[in-house]
Amino acid sequence: MVHSQPYLQAALLCEGVTTDSEGHHDIHNEFSQYTMGYSQPFTVLTIWRGGSEGDADWYREKSEIIAPDGRVVASGENGPFTLADSTYRQVNSLLLENIDFTHDGTYEVRVTLTDSHDNVITSASYPLTVV
């Protein structure tokens, strides 16, 4: 499949990411469900692939955790970074701390990519069950 704009290849939640000297990434304790009231820092890992068109000089990523009642309980940004064409890949990790998981339910992990002109290129949401 040929993409005309950058796209999110993968997004996941984990306890952390380490990278060795050769650029290999180790993902520590990936999860899709979380325990209410239990709070520890965790990481949002994203992998972006470049598109073949566009006039942006750079891109910025914003990640948010949204509670069932619509409150943003954590957010952060990565960037700026470049994705010149389809051969480019950008791996980002964002450490989030002190997240308010005080209510059970389905939270939302939202990842948004904007360009250097502040246009939204893509936005994706994933559920996170808190029990």
Side-chain angles (χ1 to χ4, degrees):
M1 173 182 241
V2 176
H3 292 272
S4 62
Q5 293 188 351
Y7 65 97
L8 185 61
Q9 185 176 29
L12 58 92
L13 300 173
C14 58
E15 289 184 2
V17 178
T18 54
T19 306
D20 67 18
S21 60
E22 295 178 7
H24 300 109
H25 307 287
D26 289 320
I27 299 166
H28 305 279
N29 301 322
E30 183 269 336
F31 57 89
S32 61
Q33 181 171 311
Y34 208 70
T35 303
M36 184 176 71
Y38 178 70
S39 184
Q40 73 175 44
F42 70 88
T43 298
V44 177
L45 174 76
T46 55
I47 302 172
W48 295 95
R49 295 301 301 234
S52 59
E53 297 176 11
D55 62 352
D57 297 320
W58 49 263
Y59 298 94
R60 186 176 310 278
E61 167 195 293
K62 182 175 184 178
S63 296
E64 299 173 297
I65 308 293
I66 302 163
D69 64 5
R71 291 178 301 120
V72 174
V73 295
S75 70
E77 292 186 359
N78 278 310
F81 55 89
T82 59
L83 292 164
D85 60 42
S86 61
T87 65
Y88 281 71
R89 179 182 75 170
Q90 175 72 29
V91 178
N92 292 332
S93 61
L94 180 64
L95 180 67
L96 298 174
E97 299 181 284
N98 301 320
I99 301 169
D100 179 13
F101 286 127
T102 55
H103 303 287
D104 65 347
T106 303
Y107 287 64
E108 179 182 342
V109 180
R110 184 184 319 157
V111 180
T112 304
L113 184 71
T114 57
D115 67 14
S116 57
H117 308 292
D118 209 27
N119 299 314
V120 173
I121 300 300
T122 187
S123 185
S125 297
Y126 303 94
L128 172 62
T129 303
V130 175
V131 293

